[in-house]
Amino acid sequence: DELLKLAELGKLKEPLVLQQQVNRLLADPRADAFVGNFGGQWLHLRNLETAKPDPDVFPNFDESLRQAFRRETELFFESVLRENRTVFELLDADYTFLNQRLAEHYGIRGVYGSQFRRVVLNDANRAKRGGLLGQGSILTVTSYPNRTSVVQRGKWILENLLGAPPPPPPPDIPDLKPVGKDGRLLTMREQLDLHRANSICASCHARMDPIGFALENYDGIGKWRAKDAGVPIDATGKLPDGTKFNGPSELKKILLTGHRDEFAATVTEKLLTYALGRGLEAYDAPAIRTIMREAAKDDYRLPALINAIINSQPFQMRRTPIL
């Protein structure tokens, strides 16, 4: 009622009034719908509902763990929003939200009961679980039912964190071969090495695979592991620009230093797409740059980014079809 009244009076055109209303609406409990819907769209959390890990491979997966995965990510995103934190904390943070079931799955001690609570991560746990890339929701929706997927995880990061999706795969891609000519089980790295021998596949995999390998210590439902097919996991990788890394902790550092601008731009584009209810076009580029300049003044804190979008020309000039 308050918002409609101000709109009828033409007050929402006043910058200070608009700012006050944006802050009021974001603080309202009903803003939880934004957290769930945007998270479902951007992070693919909706896919978690239909994920079906193979019970023979992952006997510990159940509905309570599925719900815990989603709840952790939603509470984490909500904390960045409501505590006026920078979007870069989505990549790495010294805290997460756990209940006993999820803490045991992650190997984190001292969390009891079914209720979720904020848990401060020590250095070792932060290296594994700080930020989105260590959360079971993301790791599960980027895996196959019976194994991890280096390709899907690498593609997810390129597309959703760096805004650089690879081209669609060519038709008739051969399946990976899990067993070598000598009858030995092959690690995921060995299987993909054989796959990349195909020149048609090599160019795209050169971008996706090194990133995906950094997350190979997480199994198909996000549990930390040291071996694959009985062999110690090699989580090293090298980006096309020659930057080398080992494991999720070093990958996060690279994203936060060498690819900070790409991440900020991607979050901006995903939020603007959600706000407008349409895909972005080339003519939106100037508005995106303006939004980023405004949000950068406050270190890309999530509320500041939302405010910049609401004040942008595409948002304020969007047309609503007459029914």
Side-chain angles (χ1 to χ4, degrees), residues 33 48 76 119 133 244 309 317:
L48 194 58
F76 179 61
V119 176
L133 295 181
K244 297 180 180 180
I309 287 172
M317 301 296 288

Side-chain angles (χ1 to χ4, degrees), residues 17-30:
V17 174
L18 180 59
Q19 175 79 51
Q20 290 171 341
Q21 290 304 304
V22 171
N23 294 342
R24 181 180 68 83
L25 293 172
L26 287 178
D28 191 287
R30 287 171 291 182

Side-chain angles (χ1 to χ4, degrees), residues 57-58 105-106 128-129 143 146-150 153 186-189 212-235 248:
V57 181
F58 305 111
H105 182 70
Y106 287 168
K128 297 177 181 178
R129 301 297 173 184
S143 295
N146 61 343
R147 65 170 175 83
T148 62
S149 174
V150 169
R153 288 176 175 178
L186 300 177
T187 66
M188 187 55 59
R189 184 179 283 271
F213 280 131
L215 306 182
E216 267 295 275
N217 281 114
Y218 304 107
D219 70 9
I221 57 172
K223 192 176 182 68
W224 188 264
R225 59 182 183 164
K227 294 184 177 181
D228 176 27
V231 178
I233 287 174
D234 179 0

